[in-house]
């Protein structure tokens, strides 16, 4: 047949004319002759003649027709004819199979290709070189390495092309070790010599692992087989060396090249950038320009990326100007790189100008702007840009959705987040783990932790970020107990990173899980993970929050002391009401040449306020500008608190009225709290009025107002505030306390009746209540002597859960051992008096950390000074 001599390249482009097309042209109506031939065969079958015994001319006719359809790119008609030939048992020639397979590959027809494959296998015991190579190329193009490997095994003979295709297929899909093994089998078992197509593929594989030793071995083979001067092979060698981090060897090869093309320059320049040697890469780029070698698209995008890594705005603008002179400024990928460079350098306005001037924008352009806005703390602009993109009918990809979800999480924009969730499900983007992880983060920050848990449980392959997101989310939603359970589950399958450990330490700090925190500390010391990052400060914070100041000082003295380290200690002593220690620490910090920031002054002012060090506090507030810190609303709130706690309520009110900025709810909240302490109803009601004009959703302000009325005996007003809370749909978290006994954390809810030691706990508490009654002290358990509303207030806003935790600790620890309790709400006055009495009776030190203060009870006294 004429087809046997046809070049195999003909079938890769069915659109071009060839001998078969001319043959098809002679038959002006292909379908007519096709149908005629099929009818003729059916007639023979109906007469009882076997199809297998049909004349060679009929077989030749069918194969010719099938070949002609393939040559004309008519896959659907070719498949119909193939099925008919199979029904009539007409043999298909191997070269026809080859043409059909190449057509399936060209058309990306997965299903049809698999059908042809099964038909070929059923009619052949083994595959020839040409047909086997065609199937190999098709399956590798489709990413189906399983069938490609099976075809490779069924081939009676293999040539270099067979090995190259399969090695390339494994390398392309990231199976680097398998690709290297195939290469060695080709050399030592197959007896085939590599060529200029083999080496670049194998060298890319070595760079992908990366495996420098194997790369050097392949380099030896390159020299052995005489390809050391081939420009494509040397370019691949340079790429391999830079991917493996051996920039010196790459440069040596580059300098010895007798002839270089643009790929050579790009490989070396980008290699420098990838290895963090941006200045060397830029120097080589300027050398290239000095030799009058014109850069291409890849060169410019690499150089722009280097400017981004360096954060050099001036250089970035110069490169931008150069790009304009080259004519590449209209290219969309170059514009995207320039936009990314400006955004990462913080020049988002310049990025905006460039973006707005782009004649055409692709999904990368939009995603770059959205991510850049989020990076520059402009989440509103990120969401607005997404809306513009939607109006332009550009469909988002998984990166876009993840970026917008991150902006929603920052803003707490649940509505847009839910909208994106629905879009992700509809567009099947939910299967991408980056989308699922950002959904977890968004729902967690929008206080929908149960939705976040649903997303997490539906991720088939959870990565470290998935676990970290849910652990941090649970911690954020005050479900720290569960967060630590998830952390332990994660460690069974994955190694936590520094961010995961930080999230777990924050959960330990919140509930006072000291032993778990110590286990994490041991893990950090053993593995060394995050020791040069923010993890030491997370450990310091955990020890401070757990009340172990001696261990905290050991940690502080053993680590690098930055402003965050000092702030953690300052905050710790401030919460304990030790203002003099806070002032002393601040002086030491300044002397050690660590520049204080805004958080430093918040801790300093709070410490002075709780210790009623009014003059010192006002003095430090007036000196903030000297340290380069401009007072913000938080600092003004601290000053109001400072004056208010000292009883100077009118001065605090005047201070608010003279503020250069409009006071926010926190500032008025500080005055309301001071009014609660000093029982000033008039000023307290004024503060509450100002607060509710600005914020009607924060439950803490309602609790403060309730406590003010209750402390002043205004029970009707308490009922009114409670009713307002109910109308606004506000609820108070259930009181929960945690106590660690023998390395295990136990949680107690206010209304918990299911703890296995509930009976013993209640017996111990009743004993204390009886003793308190004997000495003339009352507790909230004696409701007969109290107004029902007051009892209800204590139950809701306090819950008394710390009493159960303390009783449990007394039962399960040896006499004299200190008891450490953490609570999610503030202690009420009744609980405070009860714990003072218990500490004196049992002669134990008891520490209770509530939502605002550290209370250290000893011999019937509290460190907060009541």
């Amino acid at each position: 047949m004429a087809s046997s001599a046809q070049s195999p390249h003909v079938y890769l482009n069915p659109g071009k004319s060839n001998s078969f097309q001319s043959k098809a042209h002679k038959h002006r109506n292909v379908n007519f002759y096709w149908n005629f031939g099929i009818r003729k065969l059916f007639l023979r079958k109906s007469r009882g003649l076997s199809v297998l015994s049909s004349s060679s001319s009929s077989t030749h006719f069918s194969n010719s027709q099938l070949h002609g359809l393939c040559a004309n790119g008519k896959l659907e008609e070719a498949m119909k004819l193939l099925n008919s030939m199979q029904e009539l048992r007409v043999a298909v020639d191997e070269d026809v199979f080859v043409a059909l397979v190449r057509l399936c590959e060209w058309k990306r027809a997965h299903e049809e290709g698999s059908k042809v494959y099964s038909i070929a296998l059923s009619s052949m015991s083994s595959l020839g070189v040409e047909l086997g190579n065609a199937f190999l190329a098709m399956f590798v193009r489709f990413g189906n390495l399983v069938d490609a490997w099976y075809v490779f095994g069924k081939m009676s003979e293999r040539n270099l092309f067979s090995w190259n295709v399969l090695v390339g297929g494994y390398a392309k899909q990231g199976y680097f070790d398998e690709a290297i093994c195939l290469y060695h089998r080709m050399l030592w078992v197959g007896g085939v010599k590599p060529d200029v197509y083999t080496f670049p593929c194998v060298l890319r594989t070595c760079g992908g692992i990366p495996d420098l030793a194997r790369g050097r071995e392949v380099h030896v083979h390159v020299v052995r087989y005489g390809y050391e001067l081939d420009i494509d092979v040397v370019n691949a060698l340079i790429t391999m060396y830079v991917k493996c981090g051996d920039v010196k060897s790459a440069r040596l090869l580059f300098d010895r090249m007798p002839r270089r093309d643009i790929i050579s320059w790009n490989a070396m320049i980008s290699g420098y950038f990838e290895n963090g040697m941006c200045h060397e890469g830029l120097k080589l780029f300027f050398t290239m320009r000095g030799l009058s070698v014109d850069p291409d698209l890849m060169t410019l995008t690499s150089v722009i990326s280097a400017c981004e890594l360096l954060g050099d705005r001036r250089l970035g603008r110069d490169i931008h100007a150069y790009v304009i002179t080259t004519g590449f400024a209209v290219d969309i990928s170059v514009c995207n790189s320039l936009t990314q460079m400006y955004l990462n350098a913080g020049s988002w306005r310049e990025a905006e100008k460039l973006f707005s001037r782009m004649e055409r924008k692709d999904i990368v352009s939009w995603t770059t702007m959205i991510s850049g806005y989020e990076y520059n703390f402009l989440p509103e602009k990120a969401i607005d840009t997404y809306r513009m993109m939607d109006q332009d009918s550009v469909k988002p990809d998984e990166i876009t959705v993840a970026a917008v979800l991150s902006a929603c999480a920052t803003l707490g924009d649940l509505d847009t987040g839910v909208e994106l969730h629905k879009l992700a499900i509809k567009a099947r983007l939910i299967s991408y783990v980056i989308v699922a992880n950002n959904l977890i983060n968004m729902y967690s920050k929008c206080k929908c932790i149960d939705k976040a848990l649903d997303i997490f449980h539906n991720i088939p392959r959870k990565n470290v970020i998935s676990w970290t997101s849910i652990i941090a989310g649970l911690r954020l939603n005050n479900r720290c107990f569960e967060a630590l359970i998830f952390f332990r589950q994660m460690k069974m399958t994955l190694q936590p990173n520094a961010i995961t450990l930080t999230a777990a330490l924050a959960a330990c700090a919140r509930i006072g899980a000291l032993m778990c925190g110590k286990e994490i500390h041991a893990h950090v010391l053993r593995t060394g993970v995050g020791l040069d990052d923010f993890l030491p400060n997370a450990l310091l914070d955990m020890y401070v929050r757990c009340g172990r100041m001696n261990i905290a000082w050991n940690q502080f003295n053993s680590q690098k002391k930055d402003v965050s380290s000092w702030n953690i200690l300052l905050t710790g002593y401030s919460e304990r009401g030790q203002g003099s220690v806070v002032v002393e620490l601040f002086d030491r910090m300044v002397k050690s040449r660590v520049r204080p920031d805004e958080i430093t002054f918040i801790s300093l002012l709070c410490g002075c306020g709780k210790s009623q060090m009014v003059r010192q506090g006002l003095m430090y507030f007036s000196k903030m500008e000297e340290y380069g810190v401009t007072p913000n609303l938080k600092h003004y709130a601290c000053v109001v608190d400072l004056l208010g706690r000292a009883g100077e309520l009118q001065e605090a009110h005047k201070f608010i009225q003279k503020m250069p900025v409009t006071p926010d709810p926190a500032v008025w909240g500080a005055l309301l709290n001071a009014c609660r302490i000093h029982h000033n109803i008039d000023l307290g009601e004024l503060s509450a009025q100002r607060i509710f004009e600005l914020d009607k959703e924060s439950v803490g302000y309602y609790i403060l107002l309730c406590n003010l009325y209750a402390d002043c005996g205004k029970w009707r007003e308490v009922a009114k505030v409670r009713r307002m809370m109910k109308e606004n749909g506000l609820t108070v978290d259930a009181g929960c306390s945690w106590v660690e006994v023998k390395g295990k954390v136990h949680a107690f809810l206010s209304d918990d009746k299911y703890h296995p030691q509930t009976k013993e706990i209640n017996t111990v508490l009743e004993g204390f209540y009886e003793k308190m009654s004997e000495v003339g002290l009352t507790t909230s358990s004696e409701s007969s002597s109290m107004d029902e509303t007051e009892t209800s207030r204590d139950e809701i806003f306090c819950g008394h859960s710390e009493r159960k935790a303390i009783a449990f600790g007394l039962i399960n620890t040896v006499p004299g051992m200190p008891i450490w309790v953490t609570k999610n709400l503030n202690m009420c006055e009744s609980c405070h008096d009860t714990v003072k009495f218990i500490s004196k009776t049992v002669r134990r030190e008891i520490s209770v950390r509530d939502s605002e203060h550290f209370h250290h009870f000893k011999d019937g006294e509290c460190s907060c000074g009541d």
Side-chain angles (χ1 to χ4, degrees):
M1 290 177 63
S3 61
S4 61
Q6 190 71 20
S7 169
H9 297 292
V10 168
Y11 311 111
L12 293 175
N13 193 348
K16 291 186 178 180
S17 62
N18 52 58
S19 60
F20 299 107
Q21 284 180 292
S22 62
K23 185 180 286 187
H25 182 69
K26 290 177 184 178
H27 303 284
R28 293 184 179 179
N29 193 333
V30 172
N31 290 330
F32 170 77
Y33 288 103
W34 173 22
N35 293 330
F36 176 77
I38 295 300
R39 284 178 186 172
K40 192 173 180 181
L41 289 170
F42 270 118
L43 285 171
R44 290 191 177 188
K45 189 175 182 183
S46 65
R47 291 170 186 165
L49 297 174
S50 171
V51 177
L52 292 172
S53 63
S54 61
S55 67
S56 61
S57 61
S58 298
T59 303
H60 173 76
F61 176 78
S62 299
N63 277 285
S64 296
Q65 296 304 310
L66 185 54
H67 216 308
L69 291 170
C70 292
N72 284 285
K74 297 181 178 180
L75 179 60
E76 186 178 351
E77 295 173 12
M79 291 304 297
K80 286 180 182 177
L81 179 55
L82 178 66
N83 291 332
S84 299
M85 291 171 69
Q86 285 299 298
E87 290 175 8
L88 300 173
R89 299 184 181 179
V90 177
V92 182
D93 294 343
E94 182 172 335
D95 62 322
V96 177
F97 268 128
V98 171
L100 192 52
V101 170
R102 287 173 176 165
L103 179 60
C104 290
E105 179 188 351
W106 182 67
K107 292 269 190 178
R108 302 290 195 276
H110 293 242
E111 188 177 339
E112 290 83 355
S114 298
K115 182 70 183 292
V116 174
Y117 174 55
S118 63
I119 291 172
L121 283 185
S122 65
S123 61
M124 301 177 184
S125 58
S126 63
L127 299 173
V129 174
E130 190 176 4
L131 181 56
N133 285 345
F135 276 123
L136 272 176
M138 180 186 74
F139 284 129
V140 166
R141 178 71 63 87
F142 293 169
N144 184 355
L145 293 181
V146 174
D147 284 335
W149 177 250
Y150 190 76
V151 167
F152 192 74
K154 289 283 286 184
M155 291 175 69
S156 57
E157 188 182 344
R158 307 177 189 99
N159 60 15
L160 180 57
F161 179 82
S162 317
W163 290 97
N164 283 350
V165 168
L166 198 59
V167 170
Y170 275 106
K172 188 176 181 181
Q173 290 203 34
Y175 296 104
F176 299 125
D177 288 327
E178 289 80 357
I180 291 290
C181 288
L182 268 174
Y183 168 70
H184 285 296
R185 283 187 65 182
M186 179 188 89
L187 291 179
W188 312 121
V189 180
V192 179
K193 291 183 180 180
D195 64 359
V196 290
Y197 299 104
T198 314
F199 284 121
C201 180
V202 177
L203 288 165
R204 278 196 298 271
T205 302
C206 295
I209 296 176
D211 190 331
L212 183 59
R214 285 182 177 179
R216 290 186 185 280
E217 183 184 343
V218 177
H219 192 172
V220 172
H221 296 169
V222 168
V223 176
R224 180 186 300 167
Y225 290 107
Y227 290 102
E228 68 272 20
L229 295 179
D230 185 273
I231 194 167
D232 293 327
V233 175
V234 178
N235 288 344
L237 278 167
I238 292 170
T239 302
M240 181 274 296
Y241 277 119
V242 296
K243 293 284 184 186
C244 293
D246 189 355
V247 183
K248 188 176 180 181
S249 296
R251 184 59 191 262
L252 198 63
L253 275 170
F254 179 81
D255 290 338
R256 288 177 178 175
M257 290 178 75
R259 185 173 63 88
R260 306 182 188 97
D261 60 9
I262 190 62
I263 297 173
S264 315
W265 288 97
N266 287 345
M268 198 64 240
I269 291 169
S270 62
Y272 275 125
F273 297 152
E274 287 173 17
N275 285 274
M277 303 168 71
C278 295
H279 290 102
E280 288 81 356
L282 289 169
K283 187 177 178 181
L284 186 61
F285 169 71
F286 292 126
T287 301
M288 168 186 163
R289 291 296 304 119
L291 294 172
S292 300
V293 179
D294 292 327
D296 65 0
L297 203 60
M298 184 179 173
T299 320
L300 293 175
T301 51
S302 294
V303 171
I304 293 166
S305 299
C307 297
E308 177 189 334
L309 290 170
L310 289 170
D312 191 331
R313 299 186 188 186
R314 182 178 176 182
L315 179 62
R317 291 189 185 98
D318 291 342
I319 294 295
H320 188 178
Y322 172 73
V323 167
I324 294 171
T325 63
T326 62
F328 282 107
V330 295
D331 187 273
I332 195 166
S333 60
V334 172
C335 288
N336 291 342
S337 297
L338 285 167
T339 305
Q340 180 77 41
M341 176 195 72
Y342 281 126
L343 287 166
N344 279 14
S347 303
W348 58 270
R349 288 185 177 85
E350 293 184 54
E352 269 185 345
K353 291 176 185 176
L354 180 61
F355 181 76
S356 63
R357 290 170 186 164
M358 290 174 67
E359 294 180 4
R360 187 171 61 89
K361 304 178 182 75
D362 61 6
I363 185 61
V364 178
S365 314
W366 290 102
T367 304
T368 300
M369 278 308 298
I370 292 167
S371 303
Y373 280 134
E374 174 63 14
Y375 177 79
N376 284 278
F377 308 105
L378 298 164
E380 298 92 348
K381 281 183 170 287
I383 294 175
D384 290 342
T385 306
Y386 166 71
R387 300 290 184 201
M388 290 166 56
M389 170 184 153
D390 190 44
Q391 290 172 5
D392 275 14
S393 301
V394 179
K395 291 183 179 179
D397 62 7
E398 69 278 9
I399 309 297
T400 318
V401 172
V404 183
L405 282 170
S406 179
C408 293
T410 304
L411 291 171
D413 187 349
L414 182 60
D415 293 337
T416 306
V418 171
E419 177 189 325
L420 286 162
H421 188 181
K422 291 176 182 176
L423 172 68
I425 294 171
K426 185 179 179 181
R428 297 182 180 179
L429 298 174
I430 194 73
S431 59
Y432 290 95
V433 71
I434 187 174
V435 174
N437 291 344
N438 276 278
L439 279 169
I440 292 170
N441 184 43
M442 184 274 295
Y443 279 123
S444 297
K445 289 185 177 178
C446 292
K447 306 300 179 183
C448 298
I449 189 61
D450 290 324
K451 287 288 292 181
L453 285 166
D454 288 340
I455 300 290
F456 176 80
H457 289 308
N458 286 320
I459 299 176
R461 294 183 179 178
K462 302 172 182 68
N463 59 17
V464 174
I465 299 173
S466 311
W467 286 97
T468 304
S469 298
I470 198 63
I471 291 167
L474 288 164
R475 158 67 188 90
L476 192 66
N477 286 270
N478 294 320
R479 289 166 67 167
C480 300
F481 211 73
E482 291 173 75
L484 294 179
I485 292 171
F486 274 82
F487 176 68
R488 291 189 185 278
Q489 290 175 355
M490 175 194 176
K491 287 201 297 182
M492 295 177 185
T493 55
L494 285 171
Q495 191 75 4
N497 61 19
I499 301 172
T500 320
L501 295 173
T502 302
L505 283 168
C508 293
R510 181 68 185 86
I511 63 174
L514 179 66
M515 288 307 296
C516 183
K518 284 185 173 181
E519 287 175 18
I520 295 172
H521 194 173
H523 173 84
V524 170
L525 293 173
R526 187 168 58 251
T527 61
V529 60
L531 279 175
D532 297 326
D533 212 339
F534 44 79
L535 203 53
N537 283 336
L539 286 164
L540 177 63
D541 182 63
M542 183 271 297
Y543 285 124
V544 168
R545 285 175 159 285
C546 287
R548 306 314 199 267
M549 296 307 293
N550 289 336
I551 307 176
W553 271 107
N554 291 336
Q555 173 63 28
F556 179 77
N557 291 327
S558 67
Q559 69 176 61
K560 181 183 176 182
K561 301 171 185 63
D562 57 11
V563 66
S564 297
S565 314
W566 287 98
N567 286 346
I568 290 166
L569 278 183
L570 286 165
T571 303
Y573 282 108
S574 175
E575 288 178 349
R576 286 162 177 77
Q578 299 182 28
S580 57
V581 179
V582 173
V583 169
E584 182 185 343
L585 271 175
F586 177 78
D587 292 338
R588 285 179 58 185
M589 173 184 175
V590 173
K591 287 178 183 177
S592 63
R593 296 182 180 178
V594 176
R595 193 177 185 86
D597 60 9
E598 61 179 45
I599 297 172
T600 312
F601 282 98
I602 290 172
S603 300
L604 185 59
L605 293 170
C606 284
C608 291
K610 289 178 182 179
S611 300
Q612 297 192 7
M613 298 165 60
V614 178
R615 288 183 181 178
Q616 291 94 324
L618 292 175
M619 182 264 292
Y620 284 120
F621 178 75
S622 64
K623 287 186 175 181
M624 284 178 63
E625 297 281 359
E626 296 178 14
Y627 295 98
V629 180
T630 302
N632 58 33
L633 285 167
K634 292 180 181 179
H635 300 109
Y636 287 112
C638 288
V639 174
V640 173
D641 182 69
L642 173 76
L643 295 168
R645 284 180 183 273
E648 299 180 20
L649 299 180
Q650 294 304 322
E651 288 297 320
H653 188 210
K654 288 178 183 177
F655 178 81
I656 293 174
Q657 292 174 322
K658 292 178 182 179
M659 280 173 55
V661 291
T662 304
D664 65 352
V667 174
W668 288 109
L671 184 58
L672 177 58
N673 184 53
C675 292
R676 177 192 64 81
I677 294 170
H678 299 286
H679 302 167
N680 189 321
I681 290 180
D682 294 336
L683 195 52
E685 287 179 335
L686 174 65
S687 303
Q689 181 183 343
R690 296 288 185 269
I691 290 168
F692 296 141
E693 287 172 359
L694 302 167
D695 182 2
K696 293 183 179 180
E697 296 180 0
S698 297
V699 71
Y701 298 123
Y702 291 91
I703 295 172
L704 274 178
L705 186 57
C706 269
N707 289 337
L708 169 62
Y709 285 136
D711 292 343
C712 296
K714 300 281 187 178
W715 302 110
R716 287 184 181 178
E717 303 302 323
V718 171
K720 284 182 183 178
V721 176
R722 293 273 302 281
R723 195 159 48 248
M724 284 172 59
M725 292 173 64
K726 191 173 182 180
E727 289 170 357
N728 292 332
L730 300 175
T731 56
V732 182
D733 291 336
C736 184
S737 294
W738 299 270
V739 61
E740 187 175 54
V741 175
K742 298 175 183 177
K744 186 177 180 181
V745 178
H746 300 263
F748 294 89
L749 293 170
S750 300
D751 55 352
D752 189 359
K753 298 177 183 178
Y754 302 103
H755 192 278
Q757 289 184 270
T758 295
K759 189 175 180 180
E760 298 171 63
I761 290 168
N762 289 337
T763 301
V764 169
L765 289 175
E766 288 299 329
F768 285 124
Y769 297 154
E770 289 176 9
K771 290 180 180 178
M772 290 176 72
S773 297
E774 291 173 4
V775 296
L777 297 174
T778 59
T779 71
S780 62
S781 62
E782 300 171 1
S783 57
S784 59
S785 63
M786 295 182 66
D787 187 284
E788 185 180 344
T789 309
E790 184 175 3
T791 305
S792 174
R793 180 208 39 155
D794 284 347
E795 291 292 340
I796 292 172
F797 299 150
C798 171
H800 314 315
S801 58
E802 64 268 49
R803 302 186 191 188
K804 296 178 181 180
I806 291 167
F808 177 82
L810 292 171
I811 294 168
N812 294 282
T813 57
V814 296
M817 179 175 284
I819 295 171
W820 302 82
V821 174
T822 306
K823 187 182 179 183
N824 66 331
L825 303 177
N826 281 341
M827 285 185 84
C828 68
E829 188 176 349
S830 175
C831 284
H832 196 265
D833 292 340
T834 302
V835 179
K836 282 167 63 178
F837 180 82
I838 293 172
S839 71
K840 184 176 182 179
T841 304
V842 299
R843 295 182 181 179
R844 290 222 210 176
E845 293 184 22
I846 302 172
S847 292
V848 180
R849 178 167 63 86
D850 64 17
S851 61
E852 287 188 15
H853 305 281
F854 258 100
H855 300 274
H856 186 72
F857 300 93
K858 183 179 180 181
D859 298 328
E861 300 291 334
C862 179
S863 59
C864 74
D866 298 339

